[in-house]
Amino acid sequence: ERRSRMRTYVKRVEVALAAGDADGARVALQGAQSQLSRAAQKGLIKPNMASRKVSRLNARVKALATA
């Protein structure tokens, strides 16, 4: 269930980015970041993978905000 929740939160960021909703993406990113770090803590994914996903999502959110 935790894996599913993690994917859902990441997907929310993806959907907000696709819609061009910078504020929605920023809010969704906070939730996704929390879920990813928790998944890494629980051993569901490796810490580097969580960090990489957060970093890439954050870069896309920033790019959308400045565009």
Side-chain angles (χ1 to χ4, degrees):
E1 190 211 337
R2 191 177 297 278
R3 186 181 302 272
S4 174
R5 191 177 325 142
M6 175 188 72
R7 288 179 180 156
T8 301
Y9 273 81
V10 170
K11 192 177 222 176
R12 285 181 189 167
V13 180
E14 299 278 351
V15 169
L17 285 167
D21 180 11
D23 291 331
R26 195 176 306 110
V27 171
L29 178 64
Q30 288 178 336
Q33 192 168 0
S34 171
Q35 290 299 319
L36 285 163
S37 64
R38 190 164 294 164
Q41 242 178 355
K42 300 287 183 185
L44 199 65
I45 59 174
K46 293 190 176 181
N48 281 3
M49 182 179 176
S51 181
R52 185 175 64 240
K53 279 187 178 287
V54 168
S55 179
R56 288 178 180 172
L57 286 172
N58 195 30
R60 289 173 61 192
V61 169
K62 277 188 176 180
L64 181 66
T66 57

